[in-house]
């Protein structure tokens, strides 16, 4: 009597197929895991995050009129907060409020009060707009009630003068708030260019790329 058991050929065939399928599944699984591992999260820049570009309408950021074009009658030496409103890919109005750095402050001063380095070509009848985001560590700046007509950052007391190009007049900010050149059309204030340099947290080079992307949408 032989010491080897007779093996049913059908069982052997199934066993082979099962091993082969198992090996294939294992290899496929490893490949899938490898492929997934190589996928990096995509930092999507949606149209609502892109910066202001020429043609964007300045709209109220807060209050009952939020989303409506800002009106001359509401402007003064206190800051009016605004978002740029562009268009989505279908041409519909799109308020660019998904990016906090897009928040703007709009003022109306006597024209004779505006001094260099304010870009006077980007001013309409004393109305001037700047980024609202502090260049130190990115807090939102607001009116300095102790010195009307100037701005104060609540975080580390950075101070800016919007009558002089929002130059730094106190505290740690390393550079001015960038001005947004504007023009007036049909009673609306419209961006006449992008911010004159990068808002907080972005290099000028990367900011230029964002502006180009916005102009291409
Ligand atoms: S974040 Fe504005 S002064 Fe520091």
């Amino acid at each position: 009597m032989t010491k080897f058991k007779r093996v049913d050929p059908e069982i052997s065939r199934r066993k082979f197929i099962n091993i082969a399928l198992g090996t294939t599944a294992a290899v496929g699984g490893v490949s899938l895991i490898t492929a997934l591992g190589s996928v990096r999260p995509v930092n999507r820049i949606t149209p609502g995050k892109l910066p202001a570009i020429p043609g964007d309408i300045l709209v109220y950021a807060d209050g009952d009129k939020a989303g409506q074009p800002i009106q001359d009658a509401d402007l003064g030496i206190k800051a009016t907060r605004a978002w740029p409103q562009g268009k989505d890919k279908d041409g519909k109005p799109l308020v660019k409020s998904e990016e906090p750095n897009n928040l703007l402050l709009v003022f109306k001063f006597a024209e004779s009060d505006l001094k260099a380095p304010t870009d006077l070509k980007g001013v309409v009848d004393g109305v001037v707009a700047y980024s609202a985001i502090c260049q130190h560590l990115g807090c939102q700046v607001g009116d300095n009630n102790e010195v009307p007509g100037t701005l104060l950052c609540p975080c580390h007391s950075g101070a800016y003068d919007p009558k002089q190009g929002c130059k730094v007049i106190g505290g740690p900010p390393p550079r001015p708030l960038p001005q947004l050149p504007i023009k007036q059309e049909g009673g609306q204030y419209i961006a006449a260019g992008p911010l004159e340099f990068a808002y907080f947290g972005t290099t000028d080079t990367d900011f230029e790329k964002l502006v180009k992307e916005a102009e291409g949408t």
Side-chain angles (χ1 to χ4, degrees):
M1 181 174 160
T2 174
K3 61 180 177 177
F4 299 109
K5 280 197 278 182
R6 186 171 177 277
V7 178
D8 182 335
E10 179 56 22
I11 291 174
S12 282
R13 195 175 67 84
R14 275 201 220 119
K15 201 170 169 186
F16 172 78
I17 290 171
N18 287 342
I19 290 169
L21 286 175
T23 304
T24 304
V27 170
V30 169
S31 301
L32 181 62
I33 289 167
T34 305
L36 288 175
S38 68
V39 173
R40 301 261 182 281
V42 177
N43 188 14
R44 292 197 73 79
I45 304 282
T46 58
K49 289 182 178 173
L50 290 169
I53 54 169
D56 284 2
I57 301 167
L58 273 51
V59 299
Y60 292 98
D62 315 294
D64 296 344
K65 298 182 186 171
Q68 297 176 26
I70 59 172
Q71 299 295 310
D72 186 69
D74 291 331
L75 299 176
I77 67 167
K78 286 196 162 205
T80 295
R81 289 155 46 98
W83 294 114
Q85 176 187 280
K87 290 187 175 147
D88 68 12
K89 62 180 173 40
D90 298 320
K92 294 193 182 131
L94 176 73
V95 178
K96 297 175 171 175
S97 56
E98 290 176 38
E99 168 53 67
N101 276 332
N102 284 341
L103 188 63
L104 301 164
L105 300 177
V106 187
F107 303 86
K108 181 166 184 150
F109 296 109
E111 282 185 82
S112 56
D113 285 346
L114 290 171
K115 309 272 191 262
T118 310
D119 173 11
L120 295 176
K121 292 193 300 301
V123 173
V124 180
D125 296 333
V127 177
V128 61
Y130 296 96
S131 165
I133 306 302
C134 185
Q135 292 276 19
H136 180 220
L137 292 176
C139 294
Q140 290 181 11
V141 303
D143 293 308
N144 182 352
N145 294 327
E146 292 185 3
V147 187
T150 68
L151 292 169
L152 186 64
C153 177
C155 294
H156 313 99
S157 302
Y160 301 89
D161 187 350
K163 298 180 295 306
Q164 298 183 79
C166 253
K167 75 174 188 180
V168 180
I169 53 172
R175 64 178 184 167
L177 298 178
Q179 183 180 340
L180 182 79
I182 54 170
K183 59 185 177 179
Q184 197 178 30
E185 282 179 8
Q188 298 180 339
Y189 290 98
I190 312 267
L195 287 173
E196 293 189 333
F197 51 90
Y199 47 44
F200 168 76
T202 308
T203 65
D204 288 339
T205 305
D206 286 345
F207 183 70
E208 279 173 27
K209 287 183 194 158
L210 286 173
V211 169
K212 281 203 172 64
E213 190 171 339
E215 287 172 338
T217 56

